[in-house]
Amino acid sequence: MDVIKLLETAALLTPEETATGNDLTGRDVWELLARDEWETALTLLEDVRNARPLPLTSWEQLADAAQQLHLERSTAWCHWRAAETRNGMIRADLTLGARTTPIPGHGVLRPVWDIGNLSPTGDPAVNIAALWLENTRFLEPGDRATARLVPLTPTQWQHVRPGQRITLHEGRPAIATAVVTEVHLPTA
């Protein structure tokens, strides 16, 4: 499927009858495509904030379109959003502490987290979740950012709730703390 078809397909998922004044509609995307503004159309579709989330196939199609347009960050973001759709997403206010170097923020880390689970022996257990930082490429020690987490095993994260404090580990002690602000379970 070519780039235009991918973007047209995604544009059809934004219903005009439910759009408010600030919502992106299929007509908006069509107008951009008609003016050959493919990258702008893709960028707007990546950031759609309508009431209904885009389905998994749409994120996969948008990732393909971004790849065909050689937009590396957009490709990574669309793959990330597809992973959020499959596995769910936890958003949290993350503060990086005991570390001497910054952590990368665009989905390359898959750190372990203490989210309150216990091992069969009763010791604390850690769980893996990929990490994406909003609005920053790196988080410096001592700094804060909004983090998006995609659990590797979503069932292990079902008890996590807004307001809960979780910790990021690379060993002992924890290198960061986070306060959960949103929890979105995987969509079927």
Side-chain angles (χ1 to χ4, degrees), residues 48-68:
V48 150
R49 297 195 196 284
N50 288 357
R52 278 189 298 178
L54 291 178
L56 177 61
T57 56
S58 295
W59 287 114
E60 291 169 342
Q61 289 173 340
L62 289 172
D64 289 343
Q67 187 171 7
Q68 290 178 37

Side-chain angles (χ1 to χ4, degrees), residues 77-165:
W77 176 243
C78 292
H79 282 301
W80 180 268
R81 293 300 305 269
E84 286 184 355
T85 303
R86 269 190 311 277
N87 290 19
M89 185 271 293
I90 312 294
R91 181 179 270 142
D93 182 22
L94 178 71
T95 303
L96 184 59
R99 196 170 202 268
T100 58
T101 59
I103 58 172
H106 288 145
V108 297
L109 280 185
R110 299 221 172 354
V112 294
W113 298 85
D114 181 347
I115 58 173
N117 288 335
L118 299 176
S119 72
T121 62
D123 295 321
V126 291
N127 302 95
I128 300 171
L131 172 71
W132 187 288
L133 299 174
E134 294 182 357
N135 304 316
T136 186
R137 292 196 179 273
F138 294 92
L139 185 63
E140 298 285 340
D143 286 350
R144 292 173 55 181
T146 299
R148 299 171 80 97
L149 311 177
V150 171
L152 178 66
T153 309
T155 56
Q156 295 173 342
W157 292 71
Q158 289 181 337
H159 69 283
V160 174
R161 298 287 179 259
Q164 183 175 346
R165 183 181 215 74

